[in-house]
Amino acid sequence: MSPAGGHVRAAPEGLPDRLLPLALSRPAEAFAAATRLLAGQPDPATGSVACQVRAIVLRDADHTVEAIAELRRAVRFAERSGLVERLADVQATLGLTLGLAGRSAPGLAMLDRAVTTTTGVHAGRALTRRGYLLRVLGRYDESLADLRRAVRLLRRGDDPVWEARARTHRFLTYAALGQAARADRDLAVAERLHAAAGQDLESAMAVHNRADLAFQAGDIPAALGFLDEAAARYEALGTSWPALAIDRCAVLLAAGLATEAVAATEEALRRHARAGGTGTSTGELLFAGAGA
């Protein structure tokens, strides 16, 4: 049933389903394609996908205010489409984005709505996002509960890309709890699933996460090697990823290379400013530089 109580219509044939995965595979290409779709007066379902794609790319580039505005536009499109699962997916993305922007209460409320109005793989995707935000908020037991449910639903529904995402977030929760063996198993499966699906950006992020595991194990050379590989992959995709510089700074400081750590954060700040980045990532980069 739709929110108004009517019959839920099937998604139109032309809905660009491949565009959402592209936002986390080749973001610059996805953003350009979504912009072209919006310029062509799309139907409501397609318009909601296009706005959601633009928002994901903007959010991951640290343009949070613009991302939230795009997602509110995507919600309006989705409401007009009459597609409950389309609306829930956009609400889940908006809820996560609000939460990551420090607005955890409305973010979680919107994620709760997305979880309770969906089933199967759609519920698994919403649970993945809620588990991600709960981890960021330090609510690790709740995060694990959501992510375990998500992995089961997504594996059962044969959704390898989202299963990989759920495992990646569960890896991060396990790592935060010091459960290295479980974290490593999830990361290995996630990396394999992303590579098989051609998710280039998420594959780069998996390499980045391997650097974190190596650092936790005290293997500084391996950590720096993984960070270099991740940096090359991000650059090839035209993607700015401020967390990479923050992690590199931490590894260099642990190796006693304070001068190199300062240089790395200063270069990252310059690149971030040239890209128009603002907000949380800028503050984190400044804090990392000050610590170095």
Side-chain angles (χ1 to χ4, degrees):
M1 302 293 285
S2 73
H7 182 67
V8 177
R9 296 184 290 108
E13 286 287 327
L15 185 65
D17 292 323
R18 64 178 293 273
L19 205 54
L20 277 168
L22 201 66
L24 287 169
S25 175
R26 295 185 293 282
E29 181 181 333
F31 191 90
T35 301
R36 287 195 298 272
L37 276 175
L38 289 168
Q41 298 183 324
D43 62 85
T46 300
S48 75
V49 171
C51 288
Q52 186 180 6
V53 165
R54 281 170 53 93
I56 291 167
V57 177
L58 286 165
R59 181 193 65 199
D60 290 348
D62 204 32
H63 298 285
T64 307
V65 174
E66 295 95 324
I68 290 172
E70 285 282 353
L71 285 167
R72 295 201 187 282
R73 187 182 175 197
V75 167
R76 292 193 294 272
F77 268 124
E79 287 172 340
R80 286 166 45 204
S81 78
L83 300 170
V84 171
E85 289 169 346
R86 178 90 289 272
L87 177 59
D89 197 67
V90 176
Q91 288 175 331
T93 302
L94 177 56
L96 174 59
T97 304
L98 288 169
L100 294 175
R103 299 165 64 183
S104 57
L108 284 170
M110 193 157 285
L111 282 160
D112 291 345
R113 197 178 316 151
V115 169
T116 57
T117 57
T118 51
T119 58
V121 295
H122 301 284
R125 294 172 184 180
L127 285 162
T128 298
R129 295 172 175 122
R130 191 172 71 179
Y132 173 10
L133 182 55
L134 288 167
R135 173 185 59 79
V136 170
L137 296 173
R139 294 162 60 174
Y140 299 127
D141 289 341
E142 295 167 87
S143 173
L144 278 180
D146 271 1
L147 294 169
R148 284 168 178 157
R149 279 182 64 198
V151 168
R152 286 196 300 271
L153 287 169
L154 296 163
R155 185 172 58 231
R156 192 181 305 151
D158 192 25
D159 190 341
V161 169
W162 273 95
E163 181 189 344
R165 291 171 183 165
R167 286 183 179 276
T168 296
H169 292 303
R170 194 169 67 175
F171 143 74
L172 291 164
T173 304
Y174 280 140
L177 292 169
Q179 299 182 31
R182 288 178 171 175
D184 187 58
R185 282 196 297 272
D186 263 339
L187 184 58
V189 174
E191 188 177 2
R192 187 184 74 241
L193 290 172
H194 278 316
Q199 288 298 104
D200 299 340
L201 177 57
E202 289 174 292
S203 180
M205 291 163 66
V207 173
H208 189 166
N209 286 326
R210 292 186 71 186
D212 185 54
L213 279 181
F215 184 41
Q216 288 185 25
D219 191 342
I220 301 296
L224 288 171
F226 286 133
L227 288 170
D228 287 342
E229 183 181 348
R233 293 192 186 198
Y234 289 145
E235 187 170 352
L237 292 167
T239 302
S240 172
W241 211 259
L244 185 77
I246 295 165
D247 294 341
R248 186 186 297 279
C249 180
V251 175
L252 289 169
L253 284 174
L257 301 171
T259 302
E260 289 84 347
V262 171
T265 52
E266 287 179 347
E267 174 58 23
L269 276 165
R270 284 192 292 271
R271 289 189 177 193
H272 197 51
R274 285 197 299 270
T278 58
T280 303
S281 294
T282 299
E284 289 174 346
L285 284 165
L286 287 168
F287 184 76

